[in-house]
Amino acid sequence: MGLGVVGGGVAAALLGQQDEISRKIGRPMILKKILVRDPDKLREPPIPADLLTTNPEDILTNQSIHVVVEVMGGTQPAAGYLEDALSAGKHVVTANKEVMAKHGPELMSLAQDNDVNLLFEASVGGGIPIVGCLMNELLANEVHSIRGIINGTTNYILTRMANHFTEFHQALAEAQERGYAEADPTNDIDGMDAAYKLAILASLAYHQHIQPGDVYRQGIGSLEAKDFRYAKELGYAIKSLAIATRENGAILARVHPSLVPLDHMLAKVDGVYNAVEVEGDLCGRVLFHGLGAGREPTTSAVVGDLIEISRKIGADGRPTPMAQLDGADSIRPIDDMVSRYYLRLTVADHAGVLAEIARILGDGNISIASVLQKDTDPATKTAEIVITTHPAREASVQESLRLVAGLEVVREVNNLLRIEE
Ligand code: NAP
Ligand code: HSE
């Protein structure tokens, strides 16, 4: 179901490498039907017209179809089709992060009840085999943290901004020109795409349904080239990180731009590459790195899932039991988090301004680690200051920032970013 960027790659692999794939499984795998919206669209590679249909029932009620691949995207009708396919006893492979993040547990139960497999490796990290590892190879671990870069579009934009001090809108336009960002890149820019992916990873790691709405989210739209200059001077890169941690029975999941030390492995993940570090009690730190999007890497994950299912059908037909997402840990609000912070402000350029700001931060028990003041603008009589803090509580920082923003001498709070050590 779906013959776009991903579906086109999957169809090309199934048609072009049918013999190789069948040899890996030990029995033939045959592409029977493809659901599309517009059967007259020109496709690359071209697909035989008799394979195309606009009627989902040609797939969902077709007894000779054993496995359904959903690569349409969006919540509906995709989620409904997945339910129908599983209820009809068909195995399912999907790349749909939105559906899996929102409806994963119901779909997994439905798969279990109908004795079929539901695999979704391609929903996170394109060609990186992270989902299967959390569901299988790393299952012996208590996962302490997941920390990574799981959106290629934003990582491309941030890399351009860091390397060339390009402004955000220009870097976004370049990402669109190169076909990395979609025509409507909102879900990438505002962190929603990464929140879906983190919700899936955290649900698997912590064995409970973490909803996309449980993930604290801050997009990258407020970043300016000057933030990258200051960060570099302070010894940091700026990356949009997706982080999930569990401490004392509470889970905190968050997606936001972060300052990362330049020598940290995640600081070196550039362009459309993704990387995820999983820290477990037994395995220690395990790193996954690779292409997180695009036709070929995503096809690798989808076809890998198809082969896994087909091998099982070839053995005894029994599905692997689905992960149980029945944990009941609380979701920790970000207010309780302790972090270091980077704060950029535009202020009136006269005596006593720093002292006023420092007093408010001090009252909030926020200790200043460094202060930079570079640009002063004689025309507007303003100066730009960058403050980094020692570890402080998020709620206290937000409240102090509200008071700082209200000072007569503060013209603008330009950015507040968290620093990951
Ligand atoms: P896409 O290029 O927009 O393709 C969507 C396909 O689904 C099109 O072929 C479209 O048909 C078909 N379709 C959509 N709605 C339909 C409907 N209601 N009825 C029938 N057909 C319908 O999307 P994509 O980039 O391949 O992404 C597909 C899924 O994979 C999404 O869930 C996405 O999040 C996920 N994913 C994508 C990537 C990536 O790099 N692109 C990576 C990982 C995961 P027409 O061709 O006739 O319009
Ligand atoms: N928009 C996503 C990204 C595509 O940029 O990473 C893969 O999910």
Side-chain angles (χ1 to χ4, degrees):
M1 303 184 122
L3 187 59
V5 175
V6 182
V10 173
L14 296 184
L15 293 171
Q17 296 159 41
Q18 197 182 351
D19 289 348
E20 291 90 322
I21 291 173
S22 297
R23 214 174 304 121
K24 284 175 189 159
I25 303 165
R27 50 172 32 201
M29 187 193 288
I30 301 161
L31 177 57
K32 302 278 277 206
K33 274 282 168 226
I34 308 175
L35 179 74
V36 293
R37 248 180 323 218
D38 174 6
D40 299 324
K41 205 188 250 185
L42 276 180
R43 311 273 171 185
E44 189 46 53
I47 301 292
D50 62 338
L51 282 180
L52 302 183
T53 179
T54 54
N55 181 2
E57 296 307 316
D58 287 349
I59 293 169
L60 297 169
T61 58
N62 185 332
Q63 297 289 330
S64 73
I65 288 178
H66 304 123
V67 190
V68 174
V69 176
E70 185 274 307
V71 282
M72 292 164 43
T75 332
Q76 288 301 351
Y81 293 167
L82 291 186
E83 279 174 24
D84 292 348
L86 294 167
S87 303
K90 298 184 192 308
H91 303 276
V92 164
V93 175
T94 180
N96 196 325
K97 62 209 120 182
E98 185 174 352
V99 163
M100 286 312 297
K102 290 179 179 167
H103 305 293
E106 300 99 273
L107 293 170
M108 287 159 92
S109 304
L110 199 55
Q112 192 85 46
D113 293 347
N114 287 281
D115 245 8
V116 287
N117 291 278
L118 165 64
L119 297 184
F120 46 97
E121 183 60 68
S123 62
V124 185
I128 305 174
I130 171 95
V131 171
C133 278
L134 283 173
M135 285 203 288
N136 297 294
E137 288 80 5
L138 294 176
L139 213 48
N141 287 266
E142 187 171 318
V143 174
H144 297 319
S145 65
I146 297 170
R147 201 176 299 269
I149 294 169
I150 50 178
N151 183 272
T153 304
T154 49
N155 202 43
Y156 175 85
I157 293 171
L158 298 186
T159 304
R160 292 294 296 171
M161 292 178 79
N163 292 350
H164 304 275
F165 300 118
T166 311
E167 285 301 349
F168 171 76
H169 287 288
Q170 193 191 330
L172 170 60
E174 286 172 22
Q176 283 171 318
E177 267 163 39
R178 287 174 163 248
Y180 298 141
E182 293 171 33
D184 178 2
T186 317
N187 269 3
D188 294 315
I189 302 308
D190 68 7
M192 202 66 231
D193 176 85
Y196 289 145
K197 293 169 179 170
L198 185 63
I200 293 172
L201 296 182
S203 296
L204 294 175
Y206 299 128
H207 313 293
Q208 78 178 56
H209 189 198
I210 309 297
Q211 297 269 7
D214 294 331
V215 180
Y216 170 85
R217 195 162 50 84
Q218 179 190 343
I220 62 164
S222 71
L223 293 169
E224 294 178 44
K226 54 176 63 167
D227 289 309
F228 290 82
R229 283 204 186 86
Y230 288 126
K232 197 169 180 185
E233 184 173 341
L234 292 162
Y236 295 97
I238 302 179
K239 294 289 180 191
S240 179
L241 296 190
I243 302 171
T245 45
R246 178 161 64 181
E247 270 175 51
N248 306 321
I251 295 162
L252 174 60
R254 53 197 170 103
V255 170
H256 53 71
S258 305
L259 270 71
V260 183
L262 283 169
D263 60 358
H264 191 284
M265 161 292 280
L266 289 175
K268 297 173 185 136
V269 177
D270 279 341
V272 287
Y273 274 83
N274 283 193
V276 182
E277 180 192 83
V278 178
E279 187 173 1
D281 61 340
L282 301 174
C283 65
R285 290 181 181 183
V286 178
L287 177 66
F288 300 81
H289 178 256
L291 288 167
R295 174 169 280 193
E296 284 79 17
T298 314
T299 294
S300 162
V302 172
V303 176
D305 279 352
L306 267 173
I307 291 176
E308 185 179 337
I309 287 176
S310 307
R311 276 182 167 159
K312 285 180 187 150
I313 295 174
D316 63 1
R318 304 284 303 169
T320 309
M322 294 301 311
Q324 299 293 310
L325 304 185
D326 52 2
D329 283 349
S330 56
I331 302 297
R332 201 172 137 214
I334 196 156
D335 283 359
D336 287 348
M337 184 180 79
V338 172
S339 173
R340 293 189 57 211
Y341 293 84
Y342 158 104
L343 173 61
R344 178 162 64 84
L345 302 165
T346 306
V347 298
D349 188 18
H350 60 68
V353 171
L354 259 182
E356 279 192 64
I357 295 167
R359 183 183 49 74
I360 291 178
L361 296 182
D363 289 348
N365 206 18
I366 299 159
S367 166
I368 293 174
S370 70
V371 179
L372 283 179
Q373 182 184 323
K374 286 266 170 6
D375 297 345
T376 55
D377 184 344
T380 57
K381 296 196 175 62
T382 59
E384 188 166 63
I385 54 174
V386 169
I387 296 172
T388 65
T389 75
H390 288 298
R393 198 166 159 265
E394 172 89 16
S396 181
V397 170
Q398 294 293 355
E399 173 56 14
S400 301
L401 197 58
R402 199 181 58 74
L403 298 175
V404 165
L407 287 174
E408 207 238 306
V409 294
V410 172
R411 299 285 180 266
E412 193 178 349
V413 175
N414 302 97
N415 238 324
L416 175 74
L417 301 172
R418 297 164 191 87
I419 302 176
E420 292 294 321
E421 295 296 353

